[in-house]
Amino acid sequence: MSFLSLQGKTFCVEKVNLASLAQKFKTPLYVYSKASLIDQYLNLKSSFSRRPPLICYALKANSNFSLCRVFKEMGAGAEVVSGGELRQALRVGVSPSKILFSGVGKTRDEICFGIKRKILAFNVESFEELKALEKIAAQMRLRASVSVRINFPIKAKTHPHTVTSGDLSKFGVNEKEALLMYEWARNSKWLKIMGLHCHLGSQVFSSKPYLQAAHLAKNFIRQLAMRKISLSFVDMGGGFGVGDEKIDFSGIAGAYLKAFKEWPALGLILEPGRFLVAESGILLTRIVHVKAGGKRKFLIVDAGMNDFLRPALYGARHPLVLIERKSRKEEIFDVAGPVCESADFFARDLSLSAPKPGELLGVLNAGAYGFSMSSQYNFRPRAAEVLVQGKTARLIRRRETFADLIRSEA
Ligand code: LLP
């Protein structure tokens, strides 16, 4: 995370000292760097500048208003997967003409709302959904814009939970089914064919599956053209990995350029979530106890799997740093949260300079699928979020309280 730096003996995000933030806002605390958000967006945009895409930020990665607003102001659209995300994108000010709605189980209410607001397209995930969508559109006497999510036979190397292609996947349809759907949609006066959608998986580092998808999408669009079906855009999804490895955008951009050159007017859409926000975020947590009586030494911290689920759910490894440098002997620790679950760990066998209770740890690359996947499990109020810009830090979500936990009980 390039916006994290050691200044003196303490880590800072941009120009703000993390120890003082933790003091002021308490822990667990999510801290984001605005400069990082902007940088990642511009980095992606410039990588694809020879065929400029519409970047539809996938809100599921982090749907905080203030973060989404940064991308909206730079011209981004949104990819949403629920009525809640759709409303949040609209609230942020994203034009409906830049909003895509994916998901295998959109409800009637969600579909009605999307049609009414005239979103750019529904990413349709089954023939059954296409028919339901048409029926609703006909009842509303409004046209619905559609893009079919194709599940190309491509294997993207990632955690089994984040693979979204292949026969076992619930997402999208195969090419044969997709062709039938486009032909059926063409004959409906309530459906408007807009695009082709695919998304291979998440946290993908290899460019190979993207190159294969570009090739298959090109062949598919040719098949549509032979049937006199034309598209406004091709949506190649998101999934770009974040971590030690770096993804080769120039290879992917080159493949898209080549694959779609015979259709210069065809719009290109990308749907990144993680790439835009992961590195911008750090989760601050305080050490409650150093538990050393047994065979292993545990650092028990005040953030748990309810605050940050990725290590427990995917075995994800996020770097952990001591926020204030101390020159002490390194020792090996397991870092665990307070939640009543054996999976509630952030790291195993981590070498740290013998931290003491009360000291701060930072979980890095926590900006994506961190807060957005957090819960109130164990009746724990959810963390606060802060956005840093230069020397200033702004609270962008207050910490929940006990009153929030019981608010909806009847
Ligand atoms: N578009 C579609 C249709 C998707 O299903 C997803 C992610 C994205 C875009 C954005 O993918 P990204 O660029 O963020 O990889 N909770 C998991 C990730 C689940 C992603 C699901 N779909 C994690 O923490 O790794």
Side-chain angles (χ1 to χ4, degrees), residues 56 58 60-61 79 81 102-103 123 125 149 161-162 164 171 197-199 201-204 210 235 237-241 271-276 310 313-314 368-370 373:
C56 287
K60 60 181 87 61
E79 186 260 353
V81 291
S102 322
N123 286 334
E125 310 240 8
R149 177 166 182 175
H161 288 357
T162 55
T164 51
F171 298 102
H197 176 224
C198 63
H199 172 78
S202 200
Q203 186 67 334
V204 177
Y210 290 95
D235 173 359
F240 311 129
E271 296 176 344
R274 185 188 325 265
F275 181 79
L276 296 179
R310 302 198 71 257
L313 188 60
Y314 312 115
Y369 305 107
M373 291 179 82

Side-chain angles (χ1 to χ4, degrees), residues 120-296:
L120 173 59
F122 288 91
N123 286 334
V124 180
E125 310 240 8
S126 63
F127 214 146
E128 292 77 6
E129 186 192 13
L130 187 68
K131 289 177 180 166
L133 192 62
E134 195 227 25
K135 204 162 157 195
I136 296 170
Q139 285 162 357
M140 293 173 74
R141 313 207 67 76
L142 287 171
R143 267 182 115 195
S145 297
V146 297
S147 181
V148 177
R149 177 166 182 175
I150 305 183
N151 181 350
F152 289 123
I154 295 172
K155 281 209 169 66
K157 202 172 135 224
T158 175
H159 189 278
H161 288 357
T162 55
V163 172
T164 51
S165 55
D167 289 340
L168 292 180
S169 171
K170 66 177 178 173
F171 298 102
V173 295
N174 62 36
E175 292 164 87
K176 209 168 125 216
E177 180 95 334
L179 262 187
L180 297 175
M181 287 166 70
Y182 279 105
E183 287 184 329
W184 192 86
R186 185 220 340 241
N187 294 326
S188 163
K189 71 172 182 169
W190 300 110
L191 297 175
K192 185 172 182 206
I193 295 173
M194 294 297 291
L196 179 163
H197 176 224
C198 63
H199 172 78
L200 310 169
S202 200
Q203 186 67 334
V204 177
F205 288 100
S206 165
S207 51
K208 200 168 145 212
Y210 290 95
L211 309 196
Q212 291 170 327
H215 179 72
L216 293 177
K218 172 187 75 182
N219 288 346
F220 193 89
I221 297 170
R222 281 188 184 156
Q223 288 193 61
L224 289 179
M226 280 174 342
R227 290 165 172 78
K228 302 253 172 320
I229 296 173
S230 67
L231 303 179
S232 301
F233 64 78
V234 56
D235 173 359
M236 299 303 289
F240 311 129
V242 171
D244 294 339
E245 294 172 65
K246 291 279 167 268
I247 188 157
D248 168 29
F249 281 134
S250 69
I252 299 173
Y256 291 171
L257 201 63
K258 188 164 153 233
F260 307 126
K261 70 172 184 291
E262 62 199 85
W263 304 289
L266 183 71
L268 173 64
I269 294 183
L270 304 178
E271 296 176 344
R274 185 188 325 265
F275 181 79
L276 296 179
V277 292
E279 288 186 40
S280 124
I282 177 165
L283 172 61
L284 290 181
T285 179
R286 219 177 262 289
I287 298 166
V288 181
H289 294 298
V290 180
K291 178 174 172 179
K295 282 200 172 143
R296 299 184 72 88

Side-chain angles (χ1 to χ4, degrees), residues 33 55 243-244 408:
S33 154
I55 298 175
D244 294 339
S408 313

Side-chain angles (χ1 to χ4, degrees), residues 27 285-294 296-303 322 331-339 344-346 352 354-361 380:
T27 52
T285 179
R286 219 177 262 289
I287 298 166
V288 181
H289 294 298
V290 180
K291 178 174 172 179
R296 299 184 72 88
K297 281 194 180 131
F298 298 100
L299 293 184
I300 310 291
V301 297
D302 68 358
L322 265 174
E331 288 176 32
I332 304 294
F333 297 92
D334 291 344
V335 181
V339 171
D344 187 26
F345 274 85
F346 289 99
L352 286 170
K356 302 227 167 10
E359 292 182 1
L360 288 167
L361 281 180
R380 288 166 53 83

